Amino acid sequence: MTTGYLYHEIFGWHDTGTHAGLFPSNPLAGLQPLQHFENAETKRRLHELVVVSGLIDQLTRLAPRKATEEELLRVHTVEHVERIKAESLLPKGGDAGDGLSPFGAGGYDIALLAAGGVITAVDAVLDGVVDNAYALIRPPGHHAIAGMGMGFCIFSNLAIAAKHAQQARGVERIAVLDWDVHHGNGTQAAFYDDPNVLTISLHQDNVFPPGSGRIEERGEGAAVGTALNIPLPPGTGDGGYLHAMNEVVVPAIDAFAPDLILVASGFDASAMDPLARQMVTSEGFRSLTSRIMEVATRHCGGKIAMSHEGGYNPVYVPFCGLAVLEQLSGATPFTDPILPIPAGFAGQDLQPHQAELVAAVRQAAGLS
Ligand SMILES: [Zn+2]
């Protein structure tokens, strides 16, 4: 098994500045300046653990290229692209759209490299250069919609890569699994009326965007049934996530029979994350990866490309990401020294109210 791995140091230079974690700092409102939650550390430390653990020697390095404007415009409006480009020239940069998504000077070019990085990963998989690939990119992308960025995202990286696969590479059917703890609203929106792209989002119920990612969101027109949302209750651990995977994600993708699988891989469903309340461990992420690889083997020769999204605990994200990369590449696992703590949390097993939610999704999706 050969696994493509894509990272570039400049992803760490995407400058989200000082924030009070989430909101712009404002002393008059009591919001003391701090780093933005979406800062370079989680991704940089994941990359450095990939190097220090020795896993890097078993991966095939991929070099990202910038996405072209034509590629961006398959998902985004001209106005959005032009505004980001113009604000990127300002001495202090700008914001992608919602006031929560700042970027520094030069941010446009880094965002182009992030979107282009996912395209690079997809091309490497489609060309057979590697069996599967992981693009460790920044800024993230899955919240950005056609006319604006939001939720720390500037451009919808994975959606742009999926449109590339469809329009430039002739891939007919694509399944997208988003296991970031927040709803993959931007990816869903980009394909809401496209019956050839199945979008599945596993997320914590009603976190971000507010009210988004309900079971009832199923796609529109000819694409009804090709959007699938699994809004898990807070407190869901490895048992609940695997149950959702086995009962909904795997059968839905089996029924769809894709030619390519893309994964929006966030690690903010981890037990240690400051921005959500789920309890997934590194072993949980390893199991999710194993399951999606089995499905990919059945339908598309194992072709999977993953795009990094959120995950905000700088100590734990690296171990979650390492587990995914080890599973993708078949490498011998490096020991996660933190694992015993979250693995020992009460409620890691499937809970009855989680099973009820999964059963409701199965019914709504016609899987029962
Ligand atoms: Zn997230």
Side-chain angles (χ1 to χ4, degrees):
M1 189 73 78
T2 56
T3 294
Y5 172 70
L6 182 144
Y7 179 73
H8 193 291
E9 280 69 13
I10 206 165
F11 293 142
W13 298 16
H14 163 52
D15 186 5
T16 48
T18 55
H19 254 52
L22 190 59
F23 298 102
S25 53
N26 180 355
L28 298 179
L31 291 164
Q32 183 179 352
L34 184 70
Q35 269 191 311
H36 195 294
F37 276 122
E38 203 297 297
N39 59 67
E41 288 308 314
T42 50
K43 293 83 179 172
R44 187 184 282 148
R45 290 168 64 107
L46 168 52
H47 171 68
E48 292 187 1
L49 186 59
V50 169
V51 174
V52 170
S53 67
L55 179 62
I56 191 81
D57 298 329
Q58 298 178 56
L59 304 174
T60 301
R61 281 302 289 266
L62 302 173
R65 68 163 170 88
K66 287 182 182 176
T68 65
E69 281 196 35
E70 181 189 352
E71 287 165 342
L72 297 184
L73 294 174
R74 288 178 180 141
V75 172
H76 295 289
T77 62
V78 175
E79 292 74 18
H80 176 53
V81 173
E82 291 300 322
R83 192 178 63 76
I84 300 298
K85 194 191 298 183
E87 290 187 11
S88 178
L89 295 173
L90 301 174
K92 293 191 174 179
D95 188 280
D98 62 352
L100 302 177
S101 312
F103 59 88
Y108 175 67
D109 295 274
I110 302 176
L112 289 183
L113 204 65
V118 187
I119 293 174
T120 303
V122 165
D123 277 341
V125 170
L126 292 177
D127 290 338
V129 174
V130 293
D131 295 305
N132 52 44
Y134 194 101
L136 176 53
I137 53 159
R138 182 171 175 265
H142 72 150
H143 294 309
I145 57 176
M148 66 182 278
M150 57 192 292
F152 319 155
C153 304
I154 299 177
F155 298 128
S156 193
N157 306 317
L158 185 147
I160 290 165
K163 293 274 189 188
H164 165 80
Q166 288 183 303
Q167 295 179 24
R169 301 299 308 262
V171 176
E172 288 187 8
R173 294 172 75 76
I174 301 172
V176 179
L177 170 61
D178 186 322
W179 65 46
D180 185 281
V181 82
H182 304 103
H183 180 224
N185 63 296
T187 316
Q188 174 177 290
F191 300 103
Y192 208 56
D193 59 357
D194 185 344
N196 291 313
V197 178
L198 171 67
T199 60
I200 306 175
S201 182
L202 267 172
H203 50 268
Q204 183 180 325
D205 186 22
N206 196 14
V207 177
F208 188 86
S212 186
R214 293 170 298 113
I215 294 175
E216 295 75 21
E217 296 169 27
R218 300 281 290 123
E220 65 187 12
V224 169
T226 60
L228 194 49
N229 286 292
I230 312 169
L232 294 165
T236 304
D238 290 352
Y241 267 80
L242 266 178
H243 183 70
M245 198 75 186
N246 293 337
E247 294 290 309
V248 177
V249 177
V250 170
I253 299 180
D254 274 336
F256 186 75
D259 303 309
L260 173 68
I261 295 177
L262 303 179
V263 176
S265 174
F267 297 111
D268 38 15
S270 96
M272 318 295 265
D273 200 89
L275 284 186
R277 292 294 174 268
Q278 302 298 47
M279 302 204 297
V280 182
T281 69
S282 59
E283 284 305 304
F285 284 111
R286 192 189 304 277
S287 298
L288 297 182
T289 307
S290 171
R291 290 290 193 285
I292 199 69
M293 289 174 72
E294 289 163 12
V295 182
T297 300
R298 282 200 287 280
H299 298 286
C300 51
K303 292 191 193 70
I304 301 174
M306 296 196 181
S307 173
H308 195 86
E309 297 287 353
Y312 304 99
N313 184 314
V315 175
Y316 203 49
V317 164
F319 289 102
C320 297
L322 196 72
V324 168
L325 279 161
E326 287 165 349
Q327 190 66 34
L328 282 175
S329 62
T332 306
F334 185 87
T335 300
D336 169 4
I338 301 167
L339 178 64
I341 295 175
F345 286 176
Q348 276 293 3
D349 295 338
L350 175 68
Q351 304 296 308
H353 66 295
Q354 297 160 2
E356 272 177 34
L357 182 279
V358 170
V361 176
R362 269 185 68 90
Q363 189 166 28
L367 294 167
S368 307

